[in-house]
């Protein structure tokens, strides 16, 4: 079975968040089900630069404002089809935002083009390649579903995965005439959304199946609280909506072999974690006492509950704990974290920025990994935490609710606990969970048991890959 995945980022080539991890890991996971997945990606400089041997398989004289080509290449074990369109993707700055952090004004063209090309590929643009299914990720690829539906392509099936419904790709009505869609597409049954154009909305309307990245989030987004305006549409489409939990790449994230760690270790012997803990203490400028280290690796945004962590910083210190924070994001949250760190030298360490390698050390050395998100479609950092013996302390939402077993008395007694959950998501509840974590940490036997249980939890793609394989079969009929 040939499937064309369409993603705006892919690990290890270009990543701003979990979407890249998923897009990068899914093809290998599906290969075991005899599914050949190629991934269509934008030709950002990072991607073009990584191609050693590429083959041009198609050319466009004018693709949404300039010439473009499609290059097929195998890079880092991935089968890629790279959309080389310099006028859209060859620029410095972020992949979605410019140097000053503002969305690129032509994002609609950049991602309409990506989606349009996906639909053309499915129609047989390249000889000898005709995927039966397009698997589109997030709003940047969602329009592929609209191009298939309004391009009268009745053969191709489209699966659209929502990784985060907060990002919808909404634009003014004035772009519509330039989208290469027939007039009838500017309607409730197409891409029209509150008088403008909604890329995710159009995709959700037109896709054959919709998935999101955890069962709980699949339920949550059908409510006004989490649906961000799309809950009505998702309720209409509830029969085609599936929640399939993300896995993680268990070879890239393996404490027994991870080259980014100071010491490798296994579930049977977590004592060696101490060496990573020491390395972490040094790296974050922390004091070397035995108080629990709370680690955080995150985009610093409202979604991730960073303000709640800042609010609880003094409390963590009062309880004898320490904080190691790695992240970047919204200026005011970066500042709040920096202020807390300045107030508690040696107790709070803050590395501002994005550092893939350091993120591994945090997982391998911290005692607790904090994920107090206000909403979290799946979340990967708690899965890394489970695998690395960093006990996840999470809010009870989305994928966090589905992947961590709270250490309530009964769960501790039964030996099934793997972390701590709190709900509703606010500062005092986070504070209470932090106190619970500190008390559990003072009972080394229970703590070690939770670590072992977490480390043995199956966080691989195996289970979810079979669910995707089943879904592909189903929509092909
Ligand atoms: P989201 O995609 O919403 O940001 P996820 O938990 O799904 O959340 O994925 C986040 C990914 O990005 C993880 O792989 C995490 O380790 C990584 N990450 C986030 N912030 C940083 C950072 N500052 N440095 C390194 N990796 C980071
Ligand atoms: C999004 C979500 C995150 C999820 C990731 C991968 O970025 O915010 O929860 O894990 O996509 O699906």
């Amino acid at each position: 079975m040939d499937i064309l995945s369409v993603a705006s980022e892919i690990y290890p080539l270009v990543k701003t968040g979990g979407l890249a991890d998923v897009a990068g890991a899914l093809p290998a996971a599906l290969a075991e089900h005899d599914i050949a997945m190629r991934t269509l990606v934008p030709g950002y400089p990072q991607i073009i630069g990584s191609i050693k041997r590429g083959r041009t398989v198609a050319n466009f004289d004018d693709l949404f404002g300039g010439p473009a080509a499609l290059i097929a290449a195998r890079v880092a074990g991935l089968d890629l089809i790279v959309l080389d369109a310099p006028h859209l993707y060859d620029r410095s700055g972020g992949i979605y935002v410019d140097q000053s952090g503002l969305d690129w004004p032509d994002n609609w063209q950049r991602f309409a083009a990506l989606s349009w090309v996906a639909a053309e590929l499915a129609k047989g643009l390249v000889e000898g390649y005709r995927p039966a299914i397009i698997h589109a990720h997030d709003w940047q690829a969602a329009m592929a579903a609209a191009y298939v539906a309004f391009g009268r392509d009745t053969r191709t099936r489209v699966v659209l995965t929502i990784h985060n419904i907060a990002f919808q790709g909404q634009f003014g009505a004035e772009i519509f005439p330039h989208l290469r869609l027939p007039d009838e597409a500017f309607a409730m049954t197409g891409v029209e959304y509150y008088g403008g154009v909604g890329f995710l909305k159009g995709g959700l309307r037109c896709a054959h199946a919709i998935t999101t990245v955890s069962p709980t989030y699949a339920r949550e987004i059908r409510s006004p609280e989490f649906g961000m305006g799309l809950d009505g549409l998702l309720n209409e489409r509830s029969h085609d909506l599936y929640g399939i939990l993300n896995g993680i790449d268990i070879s890239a994230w393996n404490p027994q072999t991870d080259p980014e760690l100071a010491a490798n270790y296994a579930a049977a012997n977590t004592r060696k974690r101490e060496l990573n803990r020491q390395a972490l203490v040094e790296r974050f400028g922390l004091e070397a006492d035995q108080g629990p280290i709370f680690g955080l690796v995150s985009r610093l945004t409202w979604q991730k509950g960073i303000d709640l962590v800042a609010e609880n910083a003094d409390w963590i210190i009062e309880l004898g704990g320490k904080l190691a924070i790695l992240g970047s994001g919204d200026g005011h949250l970066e500042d709040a974290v920096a202020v807390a760190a300045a107030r508690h030298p040696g107790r709070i360490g803050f590395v501002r920025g994005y550092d893939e390698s350091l993120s591994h050390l945090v997982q391998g050395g911290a005692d607790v990994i904090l994920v107090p998100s206000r909403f979290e479609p799946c979340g990967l950092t708690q899965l890394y935490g489970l695998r690395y013996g960093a006990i996840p302390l999470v809010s009870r939402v989305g994928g966090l609710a589905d992947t961590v077993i709270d250490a309530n008395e009964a769960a501790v007694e039964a030996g099934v606990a793997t972390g701590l959950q709190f709900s509703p998501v606010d500062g005092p509840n986070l504070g209470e969970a932090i106190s619970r974590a500190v008390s559990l940490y003072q009972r080394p036997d229970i703590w070690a048991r939770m670590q072992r249980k977490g480390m043995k939890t199956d966080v691989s793609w195996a289970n979810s890959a079979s669910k995707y394989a089943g879904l592909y079969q189903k929509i092909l009929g």
Side-chain angles (χ1 to χ4, degrees):
M1 194 191 293
D2 273 318
I3 298 193
L4 179 66
S5 172
V6 189
S8 55
E9 49 187 275
I10 191 161
Y11 180 85
L13 304 177
V14 52
K15 165 168 164 179
T16 72
L19 165 62
D21 291 308
V22 173
L26 207 48
L30 290 167
E32 313 204 344
H33 294 266
D34 279 330
I35 291 170
M37 178 172 270
R38 293 186 181 202
T39 310
L40 174 67
V41 289
Y44 311 118
Q46 303 93 307
I47 294 192
I48 298 286
S50 71
I51 300 176
K52 294 229 170 58
R53 257 180 309 147
R55 201 162 44 89
T56 300
V57 293
N59 284 291
F60 308 94
D61 296 336
D62 177 17
L63 182 75
F64 291 78
L70 278 180
I71 305 169
R74 198 169 160 81
V75 183
L78 298 161
D79 281 314
L80 300 183
I81 303 178
V82 179
L83 178 54
D84 184 12
H87 64 295
L88 299 176
Y89 309 124
D90 184 14
R91 48 185 83 167
S92 49
I95 58 175
Y96 309 126
V97 296
D98 64 16
Q99 282 90 345
S100 51
L102 295 174
D103 286 353
W104 291 112
D106 59 347
N107 270 349
W108 65 272
Q109 268 170 317
R110 302 172 72 225
F111 297 111
L114 184 73
S115 305
W116 181 85
V117 167
E120 291 298 304
L121 278 164
K123 269 204 244 169
L125 174 71
V126 174
E127 209 185 294
Y129 181 61
R130 189 113 195 248
I133 294 178
I134 295 175
H135 188 156
H137 298 276
D138 272 352
W139 74 266
Q140 293 91 340
M143 288 284 279
Y147 287 118
V148 167
F150 290 98
R152 307 227 152 42
D153 172 357
T154 53
R155 171 188 174 273
T156 305
R157 294 285 171 271
V158 182
V159 175
L160 173 58
T161 296
I162 304 169
H163 293 268
N164 194 338
I165 209 163
F167 303 108
Q168 301 187 350
Q170 290 183 43
F171 304 97
E174 69 281 358
I175 72 160
F176 180 77
H178 309 287
L179 287 177
R180 304 186 175 183
L181 283 167
D183 289 348
E184 75 206 67
F186 194 72
M188 281 265 282
T189 49
V191 302
E192 189 273 332
Y193 190 47
Y194 293 112
V197 174
F199 278 25
L200 184 62
K201 183 266 170 176
L204 294 175
R205 184 48 85 192
C206 298
H208 297 87
I210 300 165
T211 72
T212 186
V213 288
S214 70
T216 295
Y217 194 60
R219 281 193 301 277
E220 287 171 343
I221 53 178
R222 293 177 57 190
S223 72
E225 192 189 345
F226 291 96
M228 310 218 175
L230 290 168
D231 39 293
L233 171 52
L234 288 166
N235 276 310
E236 272 175 56
R237 301 227 48 199
S238 62
H239 293 295
D240 305 310
L241 173 63
Y242 304 83
I244 303 178
L245 212 52
N246 287 333
I248 61 171
D249 180 340
I250 56 169
S251 50
W253 290 91
N254 181 356
Q256 290 182 256
T257 55
D258 192 332
E260 311 292 354
L261 296 183
N264 293 116
Y265 57 95
N269 178 14
T270 49
R271 245 174 308 152
K272 279 232 200 109
R273 275 190 109 250
E274 184 55 31
L275 296 170
N276 296 313
R277 208 171 175 278
Q278 282 166 21
L280 189 68
V281 157
E282 265 169 47
R283 195 57 215 276
F284 282 81
L286 298 174
E287 289 160 9
D289 57 62
Q290 280 313 307
I293 303 178
F294 291 80
L296 178 86
V297 180
S298 185
R299 293 186 284 121
L300 303 182
T301 63
W302 184 82
Q303 172 193 345
K304 301 292 182 180
I306 303 305
D307 51 320
L308 308 180
V309 175
E311 195 181 317
N312 274 284
D314 293 356
W315 182 230
I316 291 178
I317 310 312
E318 211 170 296
L319 293 173
K322 289 175 283 200
L323 251 173
I325 300 180
L326 166 62
S328 61
D330 295 349
H332 75 280
L333 291 171
E334 288 188 357
D335 291 347
V337 171
V339 165
R343 212 169 44 233
H344 298 288
R347 307 303 300 177
I348 302 183
F350 174 33
V351 175
R352 193 191 300 240
Y354 190 94
D355 187 335
E356 189 76 31
S357 144
L358 187 56
S359 74
H360 286 243
L361 185 64
V362 176
Q363 298 286 3
D367 299 297
V368 178
I369 190 88
L370 285 173
V371 198
S373 308
R374 289 196 165 82
F375 61 94
E376 196 60 78
C378 179
L380 299 177
T381 49
Q382 83 282 11
L383 302 180
Y384 300 139
L386 287 172
R387 182 137 169 92
Y388 278 62
I391 301 286
L393 189 168
V394 307
S395 50
R396 190 179 296 122
V397 295
L400 302 172
D402 294 338
T403 53
V404 173
I405 300 174
D406 179 63
N408 57 48
E409 250 176 75
V412 169
E413 186 74 19
V416 295
T418 57
L420 296 103
Q421 293 190 340
F422 67 95
S423 169
V425 191
D426 60 24
N429 284 318
L430 172 58
E432 204 215 292
I434 289 167
S435 318
R436 278 206 293 141
V438 173
S439 322
L440 285 167
Y441 181 75
Q442 284 152 359
R443 298 164 70 184
D445 48 329
I446 293 184
W447 195 261
R449 195 165 163 197
M450 280 172 62
Q451 279 182 316
R452 277 198 302 275
K453 186 75 192 162
M455 291 179 78
K456 287 184 179 152
T457 302
D458 182 7
V459 289
S460 76
W461 271 103
N463 206 351
S464 305
S466 8
K467 292 201 172 119
Y468 279 115
L471 177 62
Y472 298 148
Q473 287 292 355
K474 185 171 172 191
I475 59 170
L476 286 178

